[in-house]
Amino acid sequence: MELSSKWKEITARAGYSAKTVMYVMLGVFILTSVFTALNREKASQSNVFITLKEQPLGQIFLGVLVFGLVCYACWRWLQIFITDKSDDDSLFVHIINKLFFFISGAFYFVAAYAGGKTLLEVQSSSSSQGSGKKVSEFLMQYEWGLLLVAAIGLCIIIFAVVQFKHAYTADFLQKFSLHALNQRISKSVKITGRLGYTARGIVYSLVGGFFILAAILSNPSQAGGLQKALETLMKQPFGPYLIAAVGAGFVMFGLYCALEAKYRKVK
């Protein structure tokens, strides 16, 4: 039993460490995208993998990152079975939480697969924006496709609202044994968490809106991911500052994940 618990902890902490690398690098790409549209195209998960691979000993680092993403995906699915229902949560909320664990795990398995393809030099032309467009194009071939695209958009919007909720209430602090941490670390967890969840909420709100707009207009080209979200922000008043804020928020979320890897309760 003790050995099983130890492996759970190793799996979780390896996963949070991998998220640290991915979000910090994404945040840096977003920050540099303020200067040129070319850099904006680099603000994608695939370019995180490519850039990491191009570094000295890059194949080893990328292999470790892919392994970490697989660990995190496994941890999320493991949480489906080991997370008990809270006395404060209804059965509906409990089921939604388990569904979220499943979707989150699936997302990071896909990310690990993409990283593995980069490691093995399997070329792929899809970007975060192109992937969203391809998904909507595929679904809209069917009669029920418009409804499903709209449903995906709504789910992403709901997920964005949850991110804003975490940022506002700081309920993520419950994941840590704050009494065992010094004041400096506790404050770092709170600040990085709030800024990181806010940045994620902004991006997911835009992405969800793109899917809903694509369904309303029956136009799959309206769908998009991170790159399209950045393009939309750039067109707003003070656009470069908004993008810089999102990039800084992603870096903060990466640092928050580092604190999770070190201090989060996982047993």
Side-chain angles (χ1 to χ4, degrees):
M1 189 68 178
E2 184 178 346
L3 182 62
S4 175
S5 178
K6 185 66 176 177
W7 275 109
K8 289 177 187 176
E9 182 176 354
I10 291 173
T11 301
R13 299 200 188 285
Y16 290 119
S17 299
K19 284 182 68 180
T20 298
V21 175
M22 193 167 71
Y23 275 99
V24 168
M25 291 184 69
L26 264 179
V28 170
F29 285 151
I30 293 171
L31 283 170
T32 59
S33 76
V34 171
F35 303 106
T36 67
L38 179 62
N39 285 340
R40 208 167 304 135
E41 293 177 0
K42 294 182 179 180
S44 67
Q45 189 183 79
S46 60
N47 274 299
V48 168
F49 300 141
I50 293 170
T51 302
L52 191 59
K53 186 179 178 181
E54 291 174 347
Q55 308 311 307
L57 302 178
Q59 288 189 326
I60 295 176
F61 291 137
L62 180 55
V64 171
L65 177 61
V66 170
F67 175 75
L69 292 174
V70 170
C71 285
Y72 186 75
C74 290
W75 167 244
R76 295 308 261 175
W77 281 1
L78 184 62
Q79 285 179 291
I80 297 174
F81 304 101
I82 66 175
T83 302
D84 296 326
K85 179 178 174 296
S86 170
D87 294 335
D88 298 329
D89 291 340
S90 65
L91 179 61
F92 175 76
V93 171
H94 184 59
I95 293 173
I96 291 297
N97 285 335
K98 288 186 179 294
L99 180 61
F100 170 73
F101 289 144
F102 176 81
I103 294 174
S104 177
F107 173 82
Y108 283 99
F109 267 124
V110 171
Y113 173 72
K117 287 204 302 182
T118 302
L119 183 63
L120 299 174
E121 297 183 345
V122 178
Q123 299 297 321
S124 175
S125 60
S126 63
S127 65
S128 62
Q129 180 170 333
S131 297
K133 181 179 176 181
K134 286 183 178 180
V135 168
S136 59
E137 282 179 345
F138 172 76
L139 294 175
M140 285 184 185
Q141 298 177 44
Y142 305 96
E143 293 181 5
W144 41 263
L146 286 176
L147 291 176
L148 189 53
V149 169
I152 291 173
L154 181 60
C155 288
I156 296 174
I157 291 290
I158 292 172
F159 184 71
V161 171
V162 172
Q163 305 306 295
F164 287 128
K165 170 183 171 290
H166 291 326
Y168 179 74
T169 63
D171 55 359
F172 53 84
L173 293 174
Q174 299 171 10
K175 302 173 183 176
F176 298 83
S177 298
L178 295 179
H179 63 276
L181 304 178
N182 63 47
Q183 187 176 3
R184 179 177 58 85
I185 294 175
S186 298
K187 189 175 181 179
S188 298
V189 170
K190 190 172 185 178
I191 292 174
T192 57
R194 277 188 153 161
L195 293 176
Y197 278 115
T198 299
R200 276 164 50 104
I202 292 171
V203 170
Y204 283 118
S205 295
L206 291 170
V207 173
F210 295 148
F211 272 85
I212 292 175
L213 185 62
I216 292 173
L217 300 179
S218 300
N219 183 0
S221 66
Q222 295 294 328
L226 178 58
Q227 290 176 26
K228 187 163 184 175
L230 296 179
E231 291 172 2
T232 301
L233 288 175
M234 182 60 78
K235 295 175 183 177
Q236 310 309 309
F238 307 105
Y241 299 101
L242 292 174
I243 291 180
V246 169
F250 268 54
V251 172
M252 288 294 104
F253 189 77
L255 296 178
Y256 167 75
C257 290
L259 292 168
E260 281 193 297
K262 178 68 174 177
Y263 300 110
R264 178 186 166 121
K265 295 182 293 186
V266 294
K267 294 183 180 180

